[in-house]
Amino acid sequence: MNAEPRPALTSEARRTTGERRRSRWIAAAALGLISSTFSTIVSQLFAARIGRDAAVDWMTVAAIPARDWAISSEPSWSAILAGIAFHQWADFSWALVFFGVLGRWTADLRPMTILLLALPWAVFSSGMEWFVLVPLFPFWQPLFTLQQPYWIGLLVHGSSAVMYPLFARLRWRRGLAPARDVRFTNMWTTGALAVIALLGAVALFGGHGYELPWMGRDRDQDQAYIRHMTTHHAQGIELARTAAERAQDPHLRKLAMLMVASQSGENRIFENWWLSWFDTEMPDCSTEERAAMPGFLTPAEMRQVKTAPPDQFDMLFVEAMSRHHRGAVRMADQMWHSRGDPRLRIMAHAIRHEQQGEIALMRGTRGLAAVTTGVRNMLGDNVN
């Protein structure tokens, strides 16, 4: 016996279905604006608390679409704003995919169910960017993956994902949302604003030398690390400034500018933490300490690079800076595996990744090799 044919949708049913679909996409766009803005604010306020210079990170993000144009020794406002805009566009797009493209399965979920799905979505979306979309197709830009460890993007995407439950309110027309969704989203919005206020207060005090107290187990070890890495970075900045002026390869010049920007930002954070935690001026490293630092170049070696003939400069710079970076990686790796302050250890992990990545970038690593190298750099010291 043949089944009766399904009746065609009436014009009213089609209109209702179309309106729901449009409402879903509009709500997804609104949620994308909210979640991306929240993650931008949280990232800006929280970055320095874990040893990140937000301006340098935004500049690195801007280099994904803008390439070398975005990179300078001191992040410009145009590069910072371009990085923020590109980040917000990416977060906005992921929200459209989650609630628009996948809305058939996500648009009617309860708020806590949305949150439980949004957090794995943050893992997926940040992983797609770090492993595929940026270093491979469509941007083919290895800088982001080799410069920033994956967990930084995960934190940013996670801060965006925690706002996804607000979709439970946005999907309704004004005044039609169920009371339980209204109560939940009011509470969630209040919590989000409280987080921003708290991070803002911490950032304000931190910017004036009042960071949260030191939380390490070995004060002498942490002090020695900060002093040594600050001195090590200072020499790296001096060497990179020379390359920013003299390098023949334009990409190497831009990479040298990025080294100046990133290490200058890290030194500002080290100095602020030192004053905040130990309430004294940071002592200079002695000649003996400098000589004992891994990768620290002698005055003669520095002069050799600075006075190199133009046709030899790039090669000598890459060799000297690679050696210098390997020393910084060894120091950072030791701090990462120490009992130091958690913020110092987190920052050390990022420095270890960044400086290994810059060695690879100086040697032209890109494509799938950049992804493989980035993964290895996150997991250990692979240059010593």
Side-chain angles (χ1 to χ4, degrees), residues 1 4 9 43 53 97-98 109 141 145 156 166 191 274 277-278 301 326-327 339 349:
M1 182 176 178
E4 295 183 3
L9 289 175
S43 299
D53 185 313
V97 173
F98 190 84
L109 296 174
Q141 171 58 291
T145 299
V156 173
L166 294 182
W274 180 282
W277 294 346
F278 310 124
E301 290 169 331
R326 285 194 295 270
R339 300 186 303 166
H349 185 276

Side-chain angles (χ1 to χ4, degrees), residues 98-99 109-118 164-165 167 171:
F98 190 84
F99 289 111
L109 296 174
R110 304 297 311 141
M112 289 309 297
T113 305
I114 291 175
L115 180 64
L116 291 175
L117 291 175
Y164 277 25
F167 186 82
R171 64 193 174 195

Side-chain angles (χ1 to χ4, degrees), residues 245-286:
E245 297 173 357
R246 294 200 58 204
Q248 302 297 300
D249 183 340
H251 295 299
L252 187 59
R253 282 202 305 272
K254 286 295 185 176
L255 181 57
M257 291 179 188
L258 180 61
M259 293 176 188
V260 172
S262 60
Q263 294 184 53
S264 297
E266 287 161 4
N267 269 6
R268 286 192 292 268
I269 292 170
F270 280 136
E271 291 163 4
N272 191 52
W273 281 353
W274 180 282
L275 289 172
S276 178
W277 294 346
F278 310 124
D279 198 27
T280 63
E281 292 293 329
M282 189 188 306
D284 289 335
C285 288
S286 66

Side-chain angles (χ1 to χ4, degrees), residues 59-61 63-64 67-68 71 134-135 140-148 255 258 358 361 365 370:
M59 181 176 72
T60 304
V61 171
I64 297 170
R67 322 301 288 189
D68 286 351
I71 299 175
V134 175
W140 301 100
Q141 171 58 291
L143 178 65
F144 178 76
T145 299
L146 290 171
Q147 181 77 5
Q148 295 187 6
L255 181 57
L258 180 61
E358 287 174 355
L361 288 165
T365 303

Side-chain angles (χ1 to χ4, degrees), residues 225-239 263 267 270 285 289-290 292-297 302 320-331 351 355:
Y225 172 76
I226 293 175
R227 291 173 57 247
H228 291 176
M229 189 61 86
T230 300
T231 300
H232 204 277
H233 272 9
Q235 187 183 65
I237 293 167
E238 181 184 356
L239 189 59
Q263 294 184 53
N267 269 6
F270 280 136
C285 288
E289 287 178 300
R290 293 168 189 261
M293 286 182 202
F296 198 85
L297 305 178
M302 288 287 287
M321 188 58 89
S322 296
R323 175 183 162 195
H324 196 270
H325 274 11
R326 285 194 295 270
V329 169
R330 181 178 297 174
M331 294 162 63
I351 290 175
Q355 303 233 336

